[in-house]
Amino acid sequence: MILVKLGGSVITDKARPLTPRRASIRALASALAGLREPVIAVHGGGSFGHYWSVRHDMHTRADEYDARGVATVKDSMARLGAIVTGALLRAGASPYPLAPSSIMRRTRADTAAIRDMARVAEAGWMPVTYGDALWAGGRRSFILSGDRIMSMVALAVRPRLCVFALNADGVYSDPSSREVVPEMRAGQGVSTGDAGMDVTGGMARKLAESARIARAGIDVFVVNGNRPGRITAAVAGKGHQGTLIRGRRVGGRAARSS
């Protein structure tokens, strides 16, 4: 099984509010539809959910955020989700959209529901979920990032590998030179300069969640989502152009997830 995150900076124009990058979405949908093993897809919010999150000062910590802001974030993410699943359907895949609330118990992952999502993938559909604003109990809510969903799903179902498709060629050793680190270990320190505002933590959050996944013994590829062929090549084991975060193994075996 493959777990893929389609970054918001790839599927939307983050410089223009509520603007999908439809050509990029179509190309990514075609690449995912062509994969010959079960796939679970997660996508970010880009100029949809992130745009409204910033405007309403919402964050990943649970708090009493503006109710209209929560509703607006959820509406925008449902709209973006429909664009992504529509493209997958037209590309020949059988997407199975799932609201992120279906795999959560308030602020905690619902492991049983996540494992059911994996069974849906194994049965022939492609589950698709996304970062969103969720209820945390009472008047509180929070932003659940797509990156956090990636680590929750990975630790619950242990896919063969995870792919983060970003608007960058990989993890840079130095953002100013844009020199890509071809391979790294979980938790290895690198520069994480990230342009623009991202309430879910930008590249730093992606690296933190990737490290959680890799520490469980699961390889993670960070690739340029604007070149979908790199996803296909990485999944097929035909080399990779990007950054491989190698899963930690103990005694030749993948480490157990906690």
Side-chain angles (χ1 to χ4, degrees), residues 76-143:
S76 69
M77 288 308 300
R79 291 170 184 265
L80 180 58
I83 294 171
V84 172
T85 55
L88 285 165
L89 192 63
R90 288 187 292 274
S94 298
Y96 192 97
L98 288 167
S101 57
S102 68
I103 58 170
M104 297 292 293
R105 290 183 177 179
R106 297 193 184 182
T107 59
R108 295 179 178 273
D110 185 335
T111 301
I114 293 172
R115 288 175 178 162
D116 276 348
M117 180 168 63
R119 294 184 183 102
V120 168
E122 290 166 349
W125 291 278
M126 185 186 299
V128 182
T129 191
Y130 46 85
D132 201 2
L134 299 185
W135 179 63
R139 295 179 179 274
R140 298 186 308 145
S141 58
F142 69 105
I143 296 295

Side-chain angles (χ1 to χ4, degrees), residues 113-201:
I114 293 172
R115 288 175 178 162
D116 276 348
M117 180 168 63
R119 294 184 183 102
V120 168
E122 290 166 349
W125 291 278
M126 185 186 299
V128 182
T129 191
Y130 46 85
D132 201 2
L134 299 185
W135 179 63
R139 295 179 179 274
R140 298 186 308 145
S141 58
F142 69 105
I143 296 295
L144 176 66
S145 73
D147 299 322
R148 183 72 183 100
I149 293 174
M150 285 289 285
S151 65
M152 291 191 312
V153 173
L155 295 178
V157 307
R158 304 191 64 82
R160 181 170 71 83
L161 82 163
C162 296
V163 178
F164 282 80
L166 312 180
N167 189 24
D169 287 329
V171 179
Y172 299 136
S173 60
D174 180 354
S176 62
S177 68
R178 291 185 173 263
E179 180 180 352
V180 174
V181 179
E183 185 171 328
M184 56 189 293
R185 301 179 305 278
Q188 179 179 335
V190 295
S191 298
T192 58
D194 192 31
M197 180 179 292
D198 186 339
V199 296
T200 58

